[in-house]
Amino acid sequence: MEKTVKLNNGVEMPVVGYGVFRIPEDETKKVVGEALDTGYRLIDTAAGYLNEKAVGQAINDSSVPRDQIFLTTKLWVQDYAGDNAEKAIDGALKRLDQDYIDLLLLHQPMGDYYNAWRALEKVQKAGKVRAIGVSNFESYQVADLIVHNEIAPAVNQIEINPLNPENDNVNWLKESNIVPEAWGPMGQAANGIFTNPVLTDIAKNHHKTVGEVMLRWNLQRGVVVIPKSVHEARIKENFDV
């Protein structure tokens, strides 16, 4: 299986990443460092996670060259209007202590996201961002952005897991040359997903864990995954798919 996928602007993106949602800032630097040491090259954060600074510190302290790391962050809805969007992007670069961001997403389809999208287009053209996309957008909202703007989103990051497969959205995104990316690829350990009898049978038959099965299921559908864990053993296990 390929380790990267080519986005619609030619940029290569790893298919397995490490997410830092709900990881406190004082823990983030350590676990991101462990993820990079394990082999992860995609790190996913957001302004709304309040841990961008620690992510940037981990990247800067790592022995992994910056050009081998694919850094994603997201713009929060309060920064969509007026000239706030461009200021917020500069703020993210400052917090991350980076010269550029590999993928910048609009976090939610709320407020003046048209204005925010045009700010993303502008910073991509300026070289501050290598690729732009969205998160939590419905397919009709993505289609609307494509029709009325110059640059099509490269990625839509949505919740995708075996209990929430999003088949129609995944198929439409792939047909539209937009990469589907799964947050919560293991269902955030809710609704008994780790003891689901179908998943446990598959895991037993393949001598794998249920977590590995869930991640591999998404990867084989062409979906990028960004599992999150603060436990070193699980960080390594999630990468071994």
Side-chain angles (χ1 to χ4, degrees), residues 66-192:
R66 173 66 181 91
D67 62 4
Q68 293 180 21
I69 298 171
F70 192 95
L71 174 60
T72 301
T73 192
K74 309 175 193 78
L75 205 62
W76 189 238
V77 293
Q78 69 191 22
D79 295 318
Y80 284 4
D83 62 358
N84 288 347
E86 283 189 65
K87 290 177 181 176
I89 295 163
D90 286 337
L93 285 163
K94 187 173 182 180
R95 287 189 298 276
L96 292 160
D97 191 20
Q98 303 296 318
D99 295 328
Y100 66 94
I101 293 163
D102 294 278
L103 176 65
L104 182 61
L105 307 178
L106 297 185
H107 205 147
Q108 297 282 355
M110 300 175 182
D112 193 357
Y113 62 81
Y114 258 71
N115 180 74
W117 184 254
R118 287 165 184 165
L120 264 58
E121 291 183 323
K122 186 174 179 181
V123 293
Q124 180 175 323
K125 290 174 186 174
K128 294 180 181 180
V129 175
R130 296 177 68 217
I132 57 177
V134 294
S135 180
N136 300 306
F137 276 57
E138 297 290 343
S139 290
Y140 76 88
Q141 294 168 316
V142 179
D144 184 59
L145 275 181
I146 293 170
V147 170
H148 293 103
N149 293 282
E150 189 177 340
I151 300 175
V155 171
N156 187 14
Q157 187 184 114
I158 54 179
E159 183 183 10
I160 312 171
N161 56 64
L163 298 185
N164 188 55
E166 292 284 354
N167 293 325
D168 289 344
N169 273 340
V170 168
N171 291 335
W172 183 86
L173 289 165
K174 290 168 70 177
E175 288 166 5
S176 303
N177 199 21
I178 298 168
V179 171
E181 183 179 19
W183 65 259
M186 295 185 285
Q188 298 182 298
N191 302 309

Side-chain angles (χ1 to χ4, degrees), residues 25-41:
E25 185 157 47
D26 59 359
E27 287 183 52
T28 299
K29 182 180 175 182
K30 174 178 177 288
V31 293
V32 171
E34 289 172 356
L36 290 169
D37 289 344
T38 297
Y40 290 87
R41 293 296 177 262

